[in-house]
Amino acid sequence: MPNYKLVYFPGRGRAEVSRLIFKAAGVPFEDVRINTANGEWPGETKAKCPFGQMPVLFVDDKVLAQSKAIGRYLAREFNLAGKTNWDQARADMILDQFEDIGTEIYKFMFEKDAAKKAELSEKFNSETLPRHLGYLENLLKENNGGTGFFVGDSLTWADLALANAYDHLGGTDAPFANSPLLAGLIKRIRATPSVAEWISTRPQTPF
């Protein structure tokens, strides 16, 4: 088996889905967290990044950039991408939907004007997020009534992305009050022993 090294900032951010894939697959990896406060970034690390940004994945002496490319590669390597081409495409589609939700979050997360930040946050929580979660709830229901997984009959990285989104949305059940199928899937994924152990032992970070 190759040596895997995942390099990112000291947070969950864009690397956490890949970390969850490693944990769900039971594959060891080196979880490298670059500290910006002590000069580790940009430093030598940035020069090794194909696009000058993180996360990056080192597989022995090869390097891969872009968070979704990394996640897709790992999911395929560890049989978490979907069993058929159709299931893989559906899983990719769901990951793109989470990317859209993340884009909406960033709109207010980094807003410096307090009044504008509050306005954007309120709109996200009252309109944008419920709409997106409604789409995902319907997709989950289409697959065997929503009592299993997003695609097919086994865990994929789309399910892990949902478990990760739970943390990005505050780590409470409140956003999923009107999405019972999503809430149920989150509980099942986060209760998986390998995932549960990672959640309880990983570094605690605000994002």
Side-chain angles (χ1 to χ4, degrees), residues 85-146:
N85 288 340
W86 180 252
D87 284 350
Q88 289 176 16
R90 294 278 287 187
D92 287 349
M93 175 184 73
I94 291 165
L95 263 293
D96 286 339
Q97 175 69 359
F98 282 119
E99 185 82 5
D100 288 348
I101 294 174
T103 298
E104 295 295 331
I105 292 174
Y106 295 143
K107 286 181 181 179
F108 65 83
M109 180 181 291
F110 298 110
E111 175 59 54
K112 294 181 180 180
D113 182 274
K116 184 66 172 178
K117 185 183 185 77
E119 177 186 345
L120 292 172
S121 177
E122 194 282 329
K123 182 178 181 180
F124 173 80
N125 287 297
S126 64
E127 299 178 23
T128 308
L129 181 60
R131 183 176 71 251
H132 283 285
L133 292 182
Y135 298 150
L136 290 166
E137 179 86 353
N138 290 336
L139 285 172
L140 179 56
K141 187 175 182 178
E142 288 175 8
N143 190 45
N144 299 316

Side-chain angles (χ1 to χ4, degrees), residues 2-195:
N3 292 314
Y4 296 102
K5 181 168 69 172
L6 184 62
V7 184
Y8 191 56
F9 298 110
R12 297 186 305 276
R14 294 183 180 275
E16 194 63 15
V17 171
S18 291
R19 295 185 184 117
L20 287 168
I21 292 171
F22 276 119
K23 292 300 178 177
V27 175
F29 73 107
E30 186 179 354
D31 183 22
V32 179
R33 300 182 182 228
I34 299 298
N35 190 335
T36 57
N38 63 11
E40 290 182 339
W41 181 263
E44 295 181 0
T45 303
K46 187 170 184 176
K48 297 177 182 178
C49 299
F51 304 118
Q53 61 189 28
M54 298 190 289
V56 290
L57 175 70
F58 292 92
V59 184
D60 291 334
D61 60 348
K62 297 178 289 188
V63 62
L64 186 65
Q66 295 290 356
S67 57
K68 285 173 65 179
I70 293 169
R72 188 175 297 109
Y73 166 77
L74 294 174
R76 289 172 177 171
E77 285 291 290
F78 307 147
N79 298 315
L80 292 170
K83 294 179 180 178
T84 67
N85 288 340
W86 180 252
D87 284 350
Q88 289 176 16
R90 294 278 287 187
D92 287 349
M93 175 184 73
I94 291 165
L95 263 293
D96 286 339
Q97 175 69 359
F98 282 119
E99 185 82 5
D100 288 348
I101 294 174
T103 298
E104 295 295 331
I105 292 174
Y106 295 143
K107 286 181 181 179
F108 65 83
M109 180 181 291
F110 298 110
E111 175 59 54
K112 294 181 180 180
D113 182 274
K116 184 66 172 178
K117 185 183 185 77
E119 177 186 345
L120 292 172
S121 177
E122 194 282 329
K123 182 178 181 180
F124 173 80
N125 287 297
S126 64
E127 299 178 23
T128 308
L129 181 60
R131 183 176 71 251
H132 283 285
L133 292 182
Y135 298 150
L136 290 166
E137 179 86 353
N138 290 336
L139 285 172
L140 179 56
K141 187 175 182 178
E142 288 175 8
N143 190 45
N144 299 316
T147 59
F149 305 94
F150 264 127
V151 300
D153 58 3
S154 61
L155 179 71
T156 68
W157 70 313
D159 305 306
L160 295 172
L162 174 65
N164 181 56
Y166 177 86
D167 291 313
H168 284 287
L169 296 173
T172 72
D173 295 337
F176 302 92
N178 295 317
S179 306
L181 296 177
L182 292 178
L185 178 55
I186 290 168
K187 286 183 172 63
R188 293 194 298 276
I189 300 306
R190 290 173 69 91
T192 303
S194 58
V195 173

